[in-house]
Amino acid sequence: MSRVLSRVKPQLAATCAALLSLAVVSPPALAQTGSWTITPSANQGNFDNKLNALSALSSTAVWSVGSYNSGPYNTTPYLRTLIEFWNGSNWSIVSSPNPATKSGDYDSLQGVAAVSSNNVWAVGYTGNSNQLADRTLIEQWNGTAWNVVSSPNPYLSQDLYAISVVSANDIWAVGQFQTWSQNGSLTLHWDGTRWNNVSSPASVQLYGVAAVASHDVWAVGGYEIQHWNGTSWSMIPSPQPPYNTGYQLRAVAAVSVNNVWAVGYSYGGYYGYSYEPLIEHWDGSAWTLSPSANPTFSNTLTLSGVAALSATDAWAVGGQAGVSFIERWNGTQWLAVPSPNAGSVANPLLAAAVLPSTGEAWAAGQSFSSSTSSYRTLVEHCQTC
């Protein structure tokens, strides 16, 4: 469907930060189903830092990617790529390339997925604030260094927001494209040799992708869900939340062919503009709404990340009125669990990851620091989940 072209990128971090700054709520009584702690993470420079995505290989190998602001001002033209690695003891910054570094340029990483210890992929975009011509940005870790890998740019402007791995020669990255008269979804596929643009029917930006197998891949964004059957992408109906006027799906995670989760938020409602958590579930036949935990009945609660371990264990993360928010699926219902906050306002969690071998869970995002008057990286860890 046609839309008016805009340079504004819908980023959940900005939405969450605005919502979380509205108020600070007292922690509600929550289900004690995990012990989350803040794990100190690294920051680049003195301006804003943010982590957008996580990928966990083992207890001693976790990757997180995002962006930092190189200054002298906390504005988009100064964004540069940020990659951090957990070695089992601490998070450290790993050098990453920035294709665009001229005046007005920006570079940002939005998604990460690991194949092995010497094969990790990160995706995002690069561009210039004075031009409508974003380029896809794909980087690969070869065990020694991160390098830019050539990727398609068939449109006037294009961005990547998420990536998922089937195997070393079967990887999907999703995002959006723009022309002078149209916005739409962008899906790129790695075949082991090159990245190829694959036609996609979705009319909105895709913010999440989860691969079950070569013939079973899901991508979500806005109010749309699409599925790859090994040959082509097709649209799958997504249920409309009750009482609200619209909704946004922001992440997806798959356990199996009949167990997939998608999360985001709905907005609108009878009592003015509000945000409420949204969780949808695929059972192999259809997507249905799954009641989300909302212990304080907040109208500023959004979900931005999801990670699934099994049919009875999944995590969803986001932010609620100034504080981080985490909930867990126990096979029957979603229950909120306590999560720490690095500051008193604006602590959105933007991504989640789990380790199948240990059950460890990770969450990442950003938190506003009053001492530096800037956003700093936020990483939380549940080692005993």
Side-chain angles (χ1 to χ4, degrees):
M1 60 185 291
S2 177
R3 288 182 174 80
V4 176
L5 192 61
S6 172
R7 285 209 54 82
V8 178
K9 296 183 179 66
Q11 295 187 21
L12 186 58
T15 302
C16 286
L19 293 173
L20 297 177
S21 65
L22 294 177
V24 178
V25 296
S26 299
L30 304 174
Q32 300 291 327
T33 57
S35 178
W36 286 85
T37 59
I38 293 176
T39 301
S41 50
N43 289 275
Q44 184 80 22
N46 298 317
F47 296 95
D48 288 350
N49 282 245
K50 178 177 65 171
L51 295 173
N52 293 315
L54 282 162
S55 182
L57 277 167
S58 71
S59 296
T60 58
V62 183
W63 290 95
S64 188
V65 305
S67 62
Y68 75 96
N69 208 298
S70 61
Y73 306 107
N74 259 327
T75 54
T76 298
Y78 304 100
L79 287 181
R80 299 294 179 260
T81 61
L82 176 65
I83 299 181
E84 301 192 10
F85 180 73
W86 171 259
N87 62 6
S89 300
N90 56 71
W91 286 94
S92 59
I93 294 174
V94 180
S95 178
S96 56
N98 287 280
T101 57
K102 302 187 298 296
S103 175
D105 283 353
Y106 51 80
D107 306 273
S108 179
L109 294 173
Q110 301 286 313
V112 62
V115 180
S116 64
S117 60
N118 60 358
N119 189 5
V120 185
W121 294 86
V123 301
Y125 52 82
T126 181
N128 186 281
S129 59
N130 298 315
Q131 301 174 8
L132 185 61
D134 283 4
R135 313 287 287 176
T136 56
L137 174 58
I138 299 182
E139 302 186 3
Q140 183 190 29
W141 172 257
N142 60 13
T144 303
W146 285 92
N147 299 285
V148 174
V149 177
S150 178
S151 54
N153 288 279
Y155 304 102
L156 176 65
S157 184
Q158 47 266 297
D159 309 273
L160 293 172
Y161 297 123
I163 184 170
S164 185
V165 169
V166 178
S167 65
N169 60 0
D170 192 355
I171 303 173
W172 287 95
V174 303
Q176 69 162 339
F177 76 84
Q178 299 181 73
T179 68
W180 288 117
S181 60
Q182 183 182 15
N183 290 8
S185 62
L186 177 68
T187 57
L188 303 184
H189 181 254
W190 173 257
D191 61 9
T193 303
R194 65 179 59 86
W195 285 94
N196 301 290
N197 182 33
V198 179
S199 178
S200 165
S203 61
V204 298
Q205 300 94 336
L206 296 174
Y207 288 105
V209 60
V212 181
S214 295
H215 61 281
D216 191 4
V217 184
W218 293 95
V220 305
Y223 50 86
E224 294 182 345
I225 298 177
Q226 65 176 31
H227 181 256
W228 175 259
N229 64 5
T231 304
S232 62
W233 289 99
S234 60
M235 301 301 299
I236 307 297
S238 170
Q240 167 76 36
Y243 310 124
N244 288 335
T245 58
Y247 63 103
Q248 291 280 329
L249 294 172
R250 293 290 178 157
V252 61
V255 177
S256 63
V257 295
N258 59 0
N259 194 348
V260 186
W261 294 99
V263 305
Y265 58 89
S266 60
Y267 52 87
Y270 291 131
Y271 302 103
Y273 212 66
S274 64
Y275 293 84
E276 297 179 7
L278 172 65
I279 299 179
E280 300 190 1
H281 182 254
W282 172 258
D283 63 3
S285 300
W287 285 92
T288 57
L289 294 172
S290 180
S292 166
N294 191 354
T296 61
F297 302 100
S298 170
N299 63 356
T300 59
L301 175 53
T302 62
L303 298 174
S304 54
V306 62
L309 187 64
S310 69
T312 59
D313 197 357
W315 295 95
V317 304
Q320 173 191 357
V323 297
S324 61
F325 183 81
I326 299 177
E327 58 182 300
R328 189 178 195 177
W329 172 256
N330 63 8
T332 303
Q333 62 183 327
W334 287 92
L335 296 171
V337 302
S339 58
N341 294 276
S344 59
V345 297
N347 296 263
L349 294 172
L350 305 175
V354 290
L355 273 171
S357 58
T358 65
E360 289 180 65
W362 290 90
Q366 63 179 170
S367 178
F368 186 77
S369 169
S370 57
S371 62
T372 63
S373 296
S374 63
Y375 285 91
R376 315 305 280 170
T377 59
L378 174 62
V379 177
E380 301 187 8
H381 184 206
C382 192
Q383 190 171 10
T384 59
C385 291

